Amino acid sequence: MSLDVYAFMCKALSEARKAAAHGEVPVGAVIADAEGRVMARAFNRTVSLHDPTAHAEILALREAAAQCGNYRLTGSTLVVTVEPCPMCMGAALNARIARLVFGAFDPKWGAAGSLYNLAQDARLNHRIEVTSGVCEEACRRLMQDFFQARRKTAGQKRRGTEVVVTGSTRNRLVPLEAGHVGSNPTLSATFKHKN
């Protein structure tokens, strides 16, 4: 059966918007069975669940497998708004997903063609057919808007400072930098472990 990938991507985008509304990175995923029925849908929940594995794809795969009573989702299609990372591609391969459809490429984490191409790696015992760029602009815009808003909010928050008392007992505010531990040069120095 031919799957209307645009209709399923709209469902995935709806999930991604839920993620953004919860302060999560806006990624949404939907899994359809071989007949084109929705088996599962999910959005990123790593922050709310305090779980680094709670990506939309992983949560959708778990839900679909629970509904099927089998971890193998043979013939299924995974539709996701952003190119999956290596963890999610590994899970999709283990689940024997037949087809992956994604919207925006992820040049920093993508494992379906951008940074890695696990879907077609001949060293693995399963291959996944990949369709990329479906509703790409909408998927990319959602991510860009989310991170622009986050940067704007972060810029409005007060940056960390400390009060340093100098020899003349005058106070001055000093911005904290990465690796900076107060005004003590001994603590601020890079430590080398003795072997």
Side-chain angles (χ1 to χ4, degrees):
M1 164 170 227
S2 179
L3 190 74
D4 182 355
V5 294
Y6 293 97
F8 280 91
M9 185 58 77
C10 286
K11 294 177 191 318
L13 277 163
S14 176
E15 292 297 313
R17 288 184 194 98
K18 290 178 191 175
H22 286 86
E24 302 273 2
V25 174
V27 178
V30 174
I31 298 179
D33 66 14
E35 286 75 40
R37 294 179 300 239
V38 174
M39 299 170 66
R41 58 178 78 207
F43 58 88
N44 270 6
R45 297 185 60 204
T46 56
V47 175
S48 60
L49 295 178
H50 311 289
D51 181 356
T53 69
H55 289 195
E57 302 95 321
I58 299 293
L59 297 174
L61 288 166
R62 288 176 182 161
E63 183 183 328
Q67 282 193 16
C68 290
N70 191 340
Y71 77 96
R72 289 193 175 186
L73 303 173
T74 309
S76 299
T77 300
L78 170 61
V79 181
V80 62
T81 56
V82 178
E83 181 181 5
C85 71
M87 173 183 70
C88 294
M89 279 305 299
L93 285 160
N94 280 318
R96 306 302 193 269
I97 292 291
R99 184 175 181 199
L100 166 68
V101 176
F102 70 86
F105 287 88
D106 186 350
K108 293 183 179 181
W109 282 96
S114 289
L115 188 60
Y116 302 105
N117 191 358
L118 296 179
Q120 296 301 313
D121 192 322
R123 297 168 294 182
L124 301 174
N125 66 347
H126 182 67
R127 310 285 176 283
I128 298 176
E129 176 190 335
V130 176
T131 302
S132 58
V134 176
C135 301
E136 182 175 6
E137 181 56 34
C139 295
R140 181 177 32 258
R141 175 58 47 202
L142 188 58
M143 291 290 278
Q144 289 172 339
D145 290 349
F146 175 81
F147 284 109
Q148 284 174 357
R150 181 181 265 184
R151 282 190 294 275
K152 184 178 179 183
T153 303
Q156 292 172 352
K157 291 182 182 176
R158 191 172 167 190
R159 301 210 186 269
T161 57
E162 66 171 306
V163 176
V164 177
V165 180
T166 64
S168 61
T169 321
R170 61 186 163 90
N171 291 333
R172 60 188 170 104
L173 294 177
V174 179
L176 294 177
E177 298 174 11
H180 180 77
V181 182
S183 59
N184 186 331
T186 305
L187 294 176
S188 298
T190 304
F191 290 99
K192 292 186 179 179
H193 296 286
K194 295 179 182 178
N195 293 335

